[in-house]
Amino acid sequence: MSRLRITYTGKVQGVGFRATAASIAAGFEVTGWVRNEPDRSVLLEVQGDDAEAKAFRQALRARMTGNIKGEAELPVGEVRGEVGFEISR
């Protein structure tokens, strides 16, 4: 089990990125959240089995490929008891 914080840059706000991430996450055994940042990036945290989290990130990247110009990921501590994946505001 691992947790990653990923910052996406490019044209990632105003294009349904957060809703797309939440929709895709529903198909994987992952938890976490996604939110818009004031600098026009999108911040996402995803937690789960390494293979599931990787597959989720690949599916999101494939769906939003024309919008994502950069990705920066950072391992962060696991959040115990977290349930589901949500859009944070």
Side-chain angles (χ1 to χ4, degrees):
M1 176 86 57
S2 64
R3 187 177 188 93
L4 287 175
R5 178 176 294 155
I6 308 164
T7 301
Y8 293 95
T9 57
K11 187 174 177 160
V12 292
Q13 288 192 21
V15 295
F17 193 99
R18 293 175 303 153
T20 299
S23 175
I24 291 171
F28 294 91
E29 291 185 27
V30 296
T31 63
W33 51 263
V34 60
R35 74 176 182 224
N36 286 340
E37 294 292 289
D39 67 357
R40 308 289 298 159
S41 66
V42 170
L43 185 62
L44 180 146
E45 284 196 9
V46 61
Q47 177 171 296
D49 173 78
D50 290 343
E52 281 290 297
K54 181 178 180 179
F56 161 73
R57 292 188 339 263
Q58 289 174 333
L60 179 59
R61 191 178 304 119
R63 180 84 63 85
M64 300 303 290
T65 191
N67 300 90
I68 298 170
K69 299 298 180 220
E71 278 180 68
E73 59 182 61
L74 175 71
V76 293
E78 181 182 330
V79 175
R80 293 179 185 245
E82 183 176 59
V83 177
F85 189 96
E86 65 183 37
I87 295 172
S88 179
R89 301 201 189 301

